[in-house]
Amino acid sequence: MEVALESHKPQFTLVVLQVTSLCNLNCSYCYVPDRRNQRMMSEDIADRVFKLTVGSPQNADDSFDFLFHAGEPMAVGLEAMKRIADRCIATALPKSNFRFSIQTNGVLVNEDWARFFHDYHFAVGVSIDGPALINDKYRVDWSGKGSYAKTLRGIQTLLENGIDEVGCLATVGVDAMQQPDAIMEFFLGLGVAALGFNLEDVENSNLVTSFGENRSLKQADYRRDLVEPFFRRVFELWWPNRHRLRIREFADVLRAAALRRYDPSYVRSPDVARDLGILTIMRDGRISTYAPEFAGARAPEYDDFVVGHVDAVDSFEDVKKSANFLKLKRDVTSGIAACASNCEYYPLCGSSFVSNRWFEYRDLGRPDTFTCEMMRKAAVDVCLSEVTRVYSLQAADSSSPNRSI
Ligand code: SF4
C-alpha cells in the first residue's frame, strides 16, 4: 500500500494549553504527572502562545481549537481563566478563526463558570465514566471520595446555561466493559451531545490498569472477549438514538468508511499522526507535539518529547528544524509506514495510536498496540458488521422509513 505521508497538512488544528497540572481529583487511572503542583502558566507564556497562533498572519486562514487540558484546568480559577481568554482575544488578528474548548472533571462548574463558557463560546468536554457505581470506583478525590455527584451537578449546570456543545469522555476498564447497558442508559438520559470512550490504558504516569501491567504482544492478551460484546451492545442501544448522541468511536469509523466508499484511495489522516497537527504547550512554555499524552513523560531518547520552547521560536515552523523533532518525526513516520504495510484497518484508522506505541512497547515504529486492538480494530469490526446487519434488515423490510445513516 502507498503511504501518502507527504500529503499530510503541515498546519496545526489543535493547540493544547496545559495551564496547570494541578488536579482536584486523584483518578486511579490518570496519566498526568505532577497533579499536586499548584503552579500555573504565566501570562507571559500565554501571551507568547497567542502571538504565535492567533496573532500570526501565517495562521490567519486556518481554523483551530485551543484546548485547556490536563490536570484540571478550572483549578486556575475563573478570574485567571478569563484573563487568559481575554488576552487571547486581544491578540487575535481580525481574520483569526479559533475556538476555545476545555476538558474538565466538571466538579468546579457553577453558574459563574457556566456563564463564562457560554459567553466565550467554549466547547466543554466533561470526564465521567457513567453512573455512580462505575464512576466512583476510579474517579475519586484525594481523600478517596467519589466524584459522581459533583460532576453530574456540573454537567446539569452547563446544560441549564445553554451550552450546546457538552460532550462526555468515559474511560472504560474491565468492570465498565461488562456494563454497557448501565453506561448507555446513563449517557442517553443525560442530554449531552457527544460521548467518547477512552481505554483505561498504560500511559505516561499510569503504569497499571485493570487489564494488567504486562502487555506482551500476544493476541491472547487482547481482551476481544470483553471489548467486542461491549461495543456491540453500545452500538445496538446507540443506533436508534444516533441523531441525538454522537459516539466518537463510531462516528470516526463511519465517516472514514463513507469517504472511502466515495473515494477508494481515501486514507484517514488524524491530527495526532500529522507533523505539528497537535501542539501541546506545557505550563512552563515547553512545546510537545503529536499526542498530548507525551507532554511531561520521561523519555530520555526523545528529550522527554520536548521539541522547543515558545520563547525560543519565531514561529511554530521553527519547531520542524529542531533535532529532536526530526528524530521523533522519523520514528513516528516509520510507525505510520508499518501500520500502512501491516494493518488492514489502516485506511479507516490512519495510525492514530502514536503515543500508545511508546507507552506500551517503548517503540514508536511498532504498528499494533493493545489500545488500538481494543479501541480501533474492535470498533471497526463491530461498526461495519452492525451497519451491514441493520441495512440488510431494512432492505428486507421495504416499509422501513429510515434508510439513512
Ligand atoms: S489499528 Fe493499530 S496497527 Fe492498525 S493502523 Fe491503527 S494504529 Fe496502526
Side-chain angles (χ1 to χ4, degrees):
M1 189 184 297
E2 286 281 303
V3 192
L5 297 178
E6 292 312 320
S7 71
H8 287 174
K9 288 199 310 174
Q11 183 58 52
F12 51 84
T13 47
L14 180 66
V15 180
V16 181
L17 290 171
Q18 294 193 339
V19 285
T20 183
S21 58
L22 181 67
C23 192
N24 51 343
L25 294 188
N26 183 28
C27 305
S28 59
Y29 48 61
C30 183
Y31 71 84
V32 178
D34 216 10
R35 279 175 288 125
R36 300 214 86 163
N37 191 324
Q38 307 258 354
R39 274 177 292 174
M40 63 171 280
M41 182 179 277
S42 71
E43 292 182 3
D44 286 348
I45 296 284
D47 278 347
R48 186 74 197 132
V49 175
F50 300 142
K51 281 200 181 95
L52 292 165
T53 50
V54 289
S56 163
Q58 263 186 316
N59 310 315
D61 292 327
D62 298 302
S63 62
F64 57 89
D65 276 17
F66 284 112
L67 171 63
F68 294 91
H69 185 25
E72 172 46 57
M74 290 173 64
V76 302
L78 180 54
E79 288 315 309
M81 186 66 87
K82 259 188 194 159
R83 272 199 307 278
I84 292 172
D86 284 339
R87 291 171 95 109
C88 177
I89 292 164
T91 313
L93 298 172
K95 274 182 81 183
S96 302
N97 185 11
F98 65 94
R99 182 180 71 159
F100 293 124
S101 55
I102 188 166
Q103 187 63 39
T104 171
N105 59 44
V107 166
L108 298 171
V109 173
N110 58 19
E111 293 282 331
D112 291 340
W113 272 103
R115 272 195 292 274
F116 163 72
F117 291 142
H118 179 269
D119 293 348
Y120 286 70
H121 305 289
F122 268 67
V124 184
V126 182
S127 302
I128 183 168
D129 295 346
L133 267 177
I134 296 172
N135 183 84
D136 285 353
K137 192 155 181 197
Y138 303 100
R139 300 192 61 79
V140 294
D141 65 18
W142 290 93
S143 66
K145 190 158 177 276
S147 58
Y148 173 81
K150 287 181 179 167
T151 300
L152 184 65
R153 195 185 60 213
I155 294 171
Q156 286 163 344
T157 305
L158 293 168
L159 294 172
E160 283 159 14
N161 278 275
I163 295 159
D164 302 328
E165 285 197 66
V166 180
C168 287
L169 256 189
T171 297
V172 285
V174 168
D175 292 336
M177 281 195 178
Q178 295 170 78
Q179 302 181 68
D181 287 71
I183 289 175
M184 286 305 288
E185 188 187 339
F186 173 75
F187 284 112
L188 285 170
L190 198 54
V192 294
L195 171 64
F197 291 112
N198 278 350
L199 190 71
E200 187 202 1
D201 53 3
V202 170
E203 204 150 41
N204 202 327
S205 69
N206 185 44
L207 303 177
V208 182
T209 77
S210 54
F211 298 102
E213 185 177 1
N214 180 8
R215 298 285 178 74
S216 61
L217 188 65
K218 291 182 293 184
Q219 291 293 326
D221 289 345
Y222 296 144
R223 297 302 308 270
R224 282 279 184 143
D225 59 320
L226 281 174
V227 73
E228 277 200 16
F230 172 76
F231 272 141
R232 205 166 292 285
R233 185 64 183 143
V234 168
F235 191 99
E236 276 170 14
L237 296 168
W238 167 71
W239 184 256
N241 297 289
R242 63 195 180 280
H243 297 303
R244 66 185 178 97
L245 179 70
R246 180 181 186 275
I247 293 191
R248 180 185 63 187
E249 282 60 40
F250 298 153
D252 286 353
V253 170
L254 292 174
R255 181 175 181 278
L259 287 169
R260 196 162 165 82
R261 198 165 171 189
Y262 176 73
D263 172 7
S265 68
Y266 171 81
V267 172
R268 189 162 177 260
S269 171
D271 294 334
V272 71
R274 281 196 296 112
D275 295 346
L276 305 195
I278 298 174
L279 289 162
T280 303
I281 314 299
M282 290 178 257
R283 184 188 56 219
D284 57 5
R286 287 176 300 158
I287 304 165
S288 187
T289 190
Y290 298 111
E293 291 83 2
F294 280 147
R298 288 280 302 126
E301 302 88 328
Y302 296 108
D303 291 346
D304 296 346
F305 300 107
V306 175
V307 293
H309 190 284
V310 291
D311 283 339
V313 293
D314 293 323
S315 111
F316 285 121
E317 284 295 303
D318 290 350
V319 167
K320 291 183 174 171
K321 298 175 205 146
S322 94
N324 196 37
F325 172 76
L326 291 171
K327 186 175 175 192
L328 254 179
K329 174 186 162 84
R330 179 197 67 198
D331 295 347
V332 167
T333 303
S334 116
I336 296 171
C339 284
S341 324
N342 296 308
C343 179
E344 61 182 318
Y345 298 81
Y346 175 70
L348 302 188
C349 173
S351 198
S352 305
F353 295 81
V354 173
S355 63
N356 304 95
R357 289 176 205 135
W358 173 258
F359 292 118
E360 290 183 25
Y361 304 114
R362 295 287 185 272
D363 183 356
L364 286 172
R366 178 169 201 150
D368 55 347
T369 59
F370 183 86
T371 311
C372 78
E373 180 79 17
M374 298 283 281
M375 297 310 279
R376 178 71 75 221
K377 296 182 190 180
V380 168
D381 289 347
V382 166
C383 234
L384 298 188
S385 67
E386 285 297 311
V387 166
T388 307
R389 186 182 64 78
V390 168
Y391 280 108
S392 29
L393 285 178
Q394 284 184 2
D397 174 10
S398 57
S399 64
S400 170
N402 191 351
R403 289 175 171 277
S404 68
I405 289 181

PDB file of all heavy atoms in Angstrom, residues 77-90:
ATOM      1  N   GLY A  77      -8.809  28.884  38.526  1.00  0.00           N
ATOM      2  CA  GLY A  77      -9.781  29.884  38.987  1.00  0.00           C
ATOM      3  C   GLY A  77     -10.386  30.650  37.821  1.00  0.00           C
ATOM      4  O   GLY A  77      -9.752  30.824  36.767  1.00  0.00           O
ATOM      5  N   LEU A  78     -11.606  31.122  38.040  1.00  0.00           N
ATOM      6  CA  LEU A  78     -12.352  31.772  36.958  1.00  0.00           C
ATOM      7  C   LEU A  78     -11.702  33.077  36.513  1.00  0.00           C
ATOM      8  O   LEU A  78     -11.613  33.358  35.306  1.00  0.00           O
ATOM      9  CB  LEU A  78     -13.803  32.009  37.419  1.00  0.00           C
ATOM     10  CG  LEU A  78     -14.736  32.676  36.415  1.00  0.00           C
ATOM     11  CD1 LEU A  78     -14.766  31.929  35.087  1.00  0.00           C
ATOM     12  CD2 LEU A  78     -16.143  32.775  36.990  1.00  0.00           C
ATOM     13  N   GLU A  79     -11.220  33.877  37.461  1.00  0.00           N
ATOM     14  CA  GLU A  79     -10.649  35.173  37.069  1.00  0.00           C
ATOM     15  C   GLU A  79      -9.406  34.976  36.197  1.00  0.00           C
ATOM     16  O   GLU A  79      -9.207  35.664  35.195  1.00  0.00           O
ATOM     17  CB  GLU A  79     -10.319  36.014  38.310  1.00  0.00           C
ATOM     18  CG  GLU A  79     -11.546  36.558  39.017  1.00  0.00           C
ATOM     19  CD  GLU A  79     -12.574  37.160  38.043  1.00  0.00           C
ATOM     20  OE1 GLU A  79     -12.169  37.998  37.211  1.00  0.00           O
ATOM     21  OE2 GLU A  79     -13.755  36.783  38.099  1.00  0.00           O
ATOM     22  N   ALA A  80      -8.545  34.017  36.600  1.00  0.00           N
ATOM     23  CA  ALA A  80      -7.330  33.753  35.812  1.00  0.00           C
ATOM     24  C   ALA A  80      -7.694  33.229  34.427  1.00  0.00           C
ATOM     25  O   ALA A  80      -7.103  33.626  33.409  1.00  0.00           O
ATOM     26  CB  ALA A  80      -6.439  32.752  36.540  1.00  0.00           C
ATOM     27  N   MET A  81      -8.683  32.342  34.357  1.00  0.00           N
ATOM     28  CA  MET A  81      -9.078  31.794  33.058  1.00  0.00           C
ATOM     29  C   MET A  81      -9.647  32.888  32.155  1.00  0.00           C
ATOM     30  O   MET A  81      -9.364  32.938  30.960  1.00  0.00           O
ATOM     31  CB  MET A  81     -10.109  30.680  33.275  1.00  0.00           C
ATOM     32  CG  MET A  81     -10.484  29.943  32.023  1.00  0.00           C
ATOM     33  SD  MET A  81      -9.106  28.996  31.318  1.00  0.00           S
ATOM     34  CE  MET A  81      -9.256  27.456  32.189  1.00  0.00           C
ATOM     35  N   LYS A  82     -10.423  33.790  32.741  1.00  0.00           N
ATOM     36  CA  LYS A  82     -10.979  34.904  31.958  1.00  0.00           C
ATOM     37  C   LYS A  82      -9.852  35.784  31.421  1.00  0.00           C
ATOM     38  O   LYS A  82      -9.887  36.217  30.269  1.00  0.00           O
ATOM     39  CB  LYS A  82     -11.867  35.772  32.862  1.00  0.00           C
ATOM     40  CG  LYS A  82     -13.325  35.518  32.708  1.00  0.00           C
ATOM     41  CD  LYS A  82     -14.111  36.571  33.496  1.00  0.00           C
ATOM     42  CE  LYS A  82     -15.546  36.121  33.613  1.00  0.00           C
ATOM     43  NZ  LYS A  82     -16.261  36.747  34.700  1.00  0.00           N
ATOM     44  N   ARG A  83      -8.869  36.055  32.288  1.00  0.00           N
ATOM     45  CA  ARG A  83      -7.748  36.905  31.833  1.00  0.00           C
ATOM     46  C   ARG A  83      -7.033  36.248  30.652  1.00  0.00           C
ATOM     47  O   ARG A  83      -6.690  36.908  29.671  1.00  0.00           O
ATOM     48  CB  ARG A  83      -6.741  37.118  32.975  1.00  0.00           C
ATOM     49  CG  ARG A  83      -7.059  38.302  33.866  1.00  0.00           C
ATOM     50  CD  ARG A  83      -5.840  38.762  34.658  1.00  0.00           C
ATOM     51  NE  ARG A  83      -5.191  37.706  35.402  1.00  0.00           N
ATOM     52  CZ  ARG A  83      -5.605  37.267  36.599  1.00  0.00           C
ATOM     53  NH1 ARG A  83      -6.658  37.786  37.176  1.00  0.00           N
ATOM     54  NH2 ARG A  83      -4.944  36.306  37.212  1.00  0.00           N
ATOM     55  N   ILE A  84      -6.810  34.935  30.753  1.00  0.00           N
ATOM     56  CA  ILE A  84      -6.123  34.226  29.662  1.00  0.00           C
ATOM     57  C   ILE A  84      -6.944  34.319  28.374  1.00  0.00           C
ATOM     58  O   ILE A  84      -6.426  34.646  27.303  1.00  0.00           O
ATOM     59  CB  ILE A  84      -5.881  32.747  30.053  1.00  0.00           C
ATOM     60  CG1 ILE A  84      -4.867  32.667  31.193  1.00  0.00           C
ATOM     61  CG2 ILE A  84      -5.406  31.943  28.854  1.00  0.00           C
ATOM     62  CD1 ILE A  84      -4.711  31.274  31.788  1.00  0.00           C
ATOM     63  N   ALA A  85      -8.249  34.054  28.493  1.00  0.00           N
ATOM     64  CA  ALA A  85      -9.101  34.088  27.296  1.00  0.00           C
ATOM     65  C   ALA A  85      -9.150  35.505  26.717  1.00  0.00           C
ATOM     66  O   ALA A  85      -9.086  35.693  25.494  1.00  0.00           O
ATOM     67  CB  ALA A  85     -10.502  33.593  27.647  1.00  0.00           C
ATOM     68  N   ASP A  86      -9.224  36.512  27.594  1.00  0.00           N
ATOM     69  CA  ASP A  86      -9.278  37.903  27.113  1.00  0.00           C
ATOM     70  C   ASP A  86      -7.977  38.286  26.407  1.00  0.00           C
ATOM     71  O   ASP A  86      -7.994  39.008  25.401  1.00  0.00           O
ATOM     72  CB  ASP A  86      -9.546  38.864  28.275  1.00  0.00           C
ATOM     73  CG  ASP A  86     -11.010  38.815  28.708  1.00  0.00           C
ATOM     74  OD1 ASP A  86     -11.856  38.384  27.896  1.00  0.00           O
ATOM     75  OD2 ASP A  86     -11.293  39.195  29.856  1.00  0.00           O
ATOM     76  N   ARG A  87      -6.855  37.818  26.932  1.00  0.00           N
ATOM     77  CA  ARG A  87      -5.573  38.134  26.287  1.00  0.00           C
ATOM     78  C   ARG A  87      -5.498  37.476  24.914  1.00  0.00           C
ATOM     79  O   ARG A  87      -4.950  38.043  23.968  1.00  0.00           O
ATOM     80  CB  ARG A  87      -4.402  37.681  27.168  1.00  0.00           C
ATOM     81  CG  ARG A  87      -4.282  38.527  28.426  1.00  0.00           C
ATOM     82  CD  ARG A  87      -3.278  37.940  29.374  1.00  0.00           C
ATOM     83  NE  ARG A  87      -1.966  38.537  29.207  1.00  0.00           N
ATOM     84  CZ  ARG A  87      -1.406  39.366  30.085  1.00  0.00           C
ATOM     85  NH1 ARG A  87      -2.050  39.693  31.177  1.00  0.00           N
ATOM     86  NH2 ARG A  87      -0.209  39.854  29.864  1.00  0.00           N
ATOM     87  N   CYS A  88      -6.037  36.293  24.808  1.00  0.00           N
ATOM     88  CA  CYS A  88      -6.063  35.616  23.506  1.00  0.00           C
ATOM     89  C   CYS A  88      -6.895  36.432  22.517  1.00  0.00           C
ATOM     90  O   CYS A  88      -6.456  36.713  21.396  1.00  0.00           O
ATOM     91  CB  CYS A  88      -6.654  34.214  23.677  1.00  0.00           C
ATOM     92  SG  CYS A  88      -6.812  33.327  22.139  1.00  0.00           S
ATOM     93  N   ILE A  89      -8.068  36.838  22.950  1.00  0.00           N
ATOM     94  CA  ILE A  89      -8.961  37.597  22.058  1.00  0.00           C
ATOM     95  C   ILE A  89      -8.308  38.930  21.678  1.00  0.00           C
ATOM     96  O   ILE A  89      -8.362  39.351  20.520  1.00  0.00           O
ATOM     97  CB  ILE A  89     -10.327  37.806  22.748  1.00  0.00           C
ATOM     98  CG1 ILE A  89     -11.044  36.455  22.866  1.00  0.00           C
ATOM     99  CG2 ILE A  89     -11.186  38.808  21.986  1.00  0.00           C
ATOM    100  CD1 ILE A  89     -12.205  36.433  23.830  1.00  0.00           C
ATOM    101  N   ALA A  90      -7.634  39.561  22.647  1.00  0.00           N
ATOM    102  CA  ALA A  90      -7.000  40.854  22.362  1.00  0.00           C
ATOM    103  C   ALA A  90      -5.835  40.703  21.381  1.00  0.00           C
ATOM    104  O   ALA A  90      -5.517  41.627  20.635  1.00  0.00           O
ATOM    105  CB  ALA A  90      -6.501  41.480  23.669  1.00  0.00           C
TER     106      ALA A  90
END
